[in-house]
Amino acid sequence: MKSAQLFQRSILATAAVLAFAAHAGEVEVLHYWTSGGEAKSAAALKATLQAKGHAWKDFAVAGGGGDNAMTVLKSRVVSGNAPAAAQIKGPALQEWAAEGVLANIDDVAKAEKWDSLLPPVVANVMKYKGNYIAAPVNVHRVNWLWASNAAFKKAGAKVPTNWDEFFVAAEALKKAGIIPVAHGGQNWQDFTTFESVALGVGGADFYKKALVQLDQATLTSATMTKVLDTFKKVKTYTDKNAPGRDWNLATAMVIKGEAGMQLMGDWAKGEFVAAGKKPGADFTCAAAPGTAKSFTFNVDSFAMFKLKNEANGQAQKDLAAAIMSTDFQEVFNLNKGSIPVRLNMNLVKFDDCAKLSANDFVATAKNGGLVPSVAHGMAIGSATSGAIQDAVSQFWNDDKMSSKDAQAKIASAAKVK
C-alpha cells in the first residue's frame, strides 16, 4: 500500500515539475552593463528571473557606451534572430518600434499599474502609438553641479545657485590657486555643459522649445545668444589640459580638491563614493545654476522584441514586470548612482543626493520642469543631435567664433534629419 502511495506521489511530483517546465522560458538579454556595479545589477535581475523558473541567457556587449551593442543588435534583428530584450533608450525606441519588431507589453503595464507609477513624460518615451514597448530601469539626473567642500572653504566661496553666483565663485577659486571648473573636452561633455547652461539661463519652456521642439525662432532668439555667451564664459575657467580628458578624471580633480566644480550627471557621484567621500561632509551635490526647479532626465530602458515561442514570451513579460519591481529598482539604482524611475519608492537606503534627486524628480513631473536630456539621447534623433553637438563643440573650441555665428550653426544643425 505504502509503495503504491509513494508511486502515486512520485507521478504527481513529476507532473508538477513537467508542468512548471512547460511554462518556464528563456530570456536572452542584450545589454552593456559590464562595469562592477552594473554587472551586480544585471545579476540581481537574472536571479529574479531564475526564481520564476526561467533561464537567463546573458548577451553583454562591452564598449562604446552602447554603440557596439547597437551594431550587434541590428545584425541579429536583420537575420531574424532578435533577443528577447535589448538595452535601448530615448527616440531610438520609437525608431525600432516603427520597424515592427517590438512586442506590445500593455498587459504587463496594466497589471503592474505603470501609468500611475511613472511620470507621463517618461511613460511616453516607453510607448509607441500609445502602447508600451519597453520597460524603464532608472533615472539619471544630468543637470548636477558637484563641488569640493575643501576647495570652496579655502576660497571662501559659496556654492552657486545661479550663473552670476557661479562666476563669482569661479573667480574666488581662481584667486585661491584652484582650477574653478573641472571639464573633459569631449563632444558629449561639452554638450552636457551646454544643455545645463541653456536650462539655467532660459528655463524649462525655453529648453523644450529650443532643444526638443527645435523651434527656429527660439534657436535664433536673444535668449539663445545669452546662453552661448554664458557657455563660452564657463570655458574661461577650465584648465588647458581639459581637451580629451575623460569625465571621471575631471571628477577626480574635484575629489582631490584640485578643482572646485564640475557640471556632470549623477554617475559622477559613484566616483566620490568609491573614493570614500560623503555628500555634505566632503562634497556638495546641487542642481546646476538656475536649474533647481528643473530636471534633465536620462532613462535607461529595455525594449522587448517580438518572440515566436510562447514560453519565452511569458519569460519576457516576467522580465518586464521584474524590471519595474521595487526590489530590483532599489538594488539596481543603489549600485548605479541613479534613482528609481518608479514613483513613491522607499528611499531609506539612498544617500542625500539621491533623495534630493528623487524629490526634484517628483516635483518637476508636476510643475513642467521635467525635461529629456538632449546630450544623452533622450529628446531628438541621433542625426540631428549629432549635428547640434558638433556645432556646440566647434564653438567651445574656437575662441574666434562669435555667439551669433555659433547660433546660426546650431539653428542650421537643428534642420538635419
Side-chain angles (χ1 to χ4, degrees):
M1 184 70 184
K2 274 187 182 175
S3 60
Q5 284 175 329
L6 286 170
F7 180 66
Q8 195 172 18
R9 278 182 199 159
S10 173
I11 286 175
L12 288 170
T14 304
V17 168
L18 288 172
F20 184 72
H23 291 294
E26 177 185 83
V27 281
E28 184 179 18
V29 184
L30 185 149
H31 63 90
Y32 42 94
W33 288 337
T34 52
S35 75
E38 291 170 337
K40 275 187 201 167
S41 305
L45 194 54
K46 177 181 176 179
T48 304
L49 263 287
Q50 287 175 330
K52 289 179 180 285
H54 302 306
W56 169 287
K57 191 174 178 184
D58 204 56
F59 188 0
V61 181
D67 292 344
N68 297 350
M70 290 308 98
T71 304
V72 173
L73 178 63
K74 277 170 191 164
S75 65
R76 285 283 303 269
V77 174
V78 166
S79 66
N81 184 29
Q87 194 179 345
I88 304 171
K89 66 178 188 178
L93 288 168
Q94 276 67 42
E95 289 168 16
W96 279 102
E99 296 292 322
V101 293
L102 297 187
N104 180 330
I105 53 169
D106 275 349
D107 50 350
V108 178
K110 278 178 185 150
E112 302 289 326
K113 301 185 170 70
W114 287 7
D115 275 344
S116 64
L117 293 172
L118 294 170
V121 69
V122 174
N124 290 340
V125 177
M126 303 299 134
K127 293 177 181 179
Y128 178 69
K129 293 186 175 175
N131 302 312
Y132 278 98
I133 40 90
V137 180
N138 64 339
V139 183
H140 280 296
R141 186 182 198 172
V142 181
N143 60 314
W144 278 115
L145 175 79
W146 306 93
S148 161
N149 289 359
F152 268 76
K153 189 177 178 184
K154 185 180 174 186
K158 76 178 185 84
V159 176
T161 60
N162 59 45
W163 287 104
D164 287 340
E165 290 178 4
F166 179 89
F167 294 118
V168 169
E171 202 56 44
L173 288 160
K174 189 177 176 182
K175 280 180 184 160
I178 297 161
I179 297 163
V181 181
H183 183 74
Q186 296 171 337
N187 274 15
W188 72 269
Q189 294 191 61
D190 300 341
F191 206 17
T192 297
T193 299
F194 174 76
E195 76 173 16
S196 280
V197 174
L199 187 62
V201 171
D205 286 343
F206 165 83
Y207 178 97
K208 283 184 262 195
K209 278 183 187 167
L211 299 178
V212 181
Q213 295 159 18
L214 306 174
D215 176 65
Q216 284 291 314
T218 310
L219 287 167
T220 54
S221 67
T223 304
M224 182 55 90
T225 310
K226 190 180 177 190
V227 167
L228 289 161
D229 288 344
T230 307
F231 175 63
K232 198 62 168 276
K233 194 174 176 182
V234 172
K235 194 204 173 185
T236 63
Y237 290 100
T238 62
D239 67 309
K240 67 180 190 315
N241 296 320
R245 179 188 286 142
D246 287 334
W247 70 268
N248 54 316
L249 299 180
T251 306
M253 292 165 65
V254 182
I255 290 169
K256 293 171 190 166
E258 292 168 6
M261 302 179 276
Q262 183 187 21
L263 291 153
M264 187 51 63
D266 54 18
W267 45 91
K269 185 182 71 177
E271 300 295 306
F272 283 96
V273 173
K277 304 296 180 187
K278 291 186 169 56
D282 303 305
F283 67 96
T284 297
C285 49
T291 72
K293 292 187 176 171
S294 301
F295 190 118
T296 39
F297 68 83
N298 177 19
V299 174
D300 286 315
S301 53
F302 277 102
M304 302 296 164
F305 283 80
K306 285 179 178 173
L307 300 173
K308 295 188 179 105
N309 182 293
E310 194 179 325
N312 290 354
Q314 184 54 52
Q316 181 189 57
K317 287 176 181 180
D318 287 344
L319 172 69
I323 285 168
M324 274 286 285
S325 69
T326 52
D327 287 353
F328 176 72
Q329 288 276 315
E330 179 176 275
V331 169
F332 178 83
N333 288 292
L334 283 170
N335 283 327
K336 190 86 161 60
S338 44
I339 60 167
V341 68
R342 182 186 172 118
L343 298 173
N344 308 320
M345 282 272 298
N346 183 340
L347 300 176
V348 68
K349 291 182 185 173
F350 289 79
D351 64 31
D352 290 347
C353 295
K355 285 172 183 166
L356 173 62
S357 189
N359 287 339
D360 288 351
F361 181 55
V362 173
T364 56
K366 292 173 184 167
N367 72 15
L370 185 61
V371 295
S373 169
V374 184
H376 294 273
M378 294 304 302
I380 54 179
S382 56
T384 318
S385 173
I388 295 172
Q389 181 169 282
D390 287 346
V392 165
S393 276
Q394 224 180 327
F395 176 56
W396 178 267
N397 292 310
D398 185 350
D399 292 336
K400 291 175 183 171
M401 190 187 290
S402 70
S403 293
K404 281 287 184 190
D405 287 345
Q407 202 164 349
K409 279 183 180 288
I410 291 167
S412 175
K415 295 175 184 175
V416 172
K417 296 291 179 220

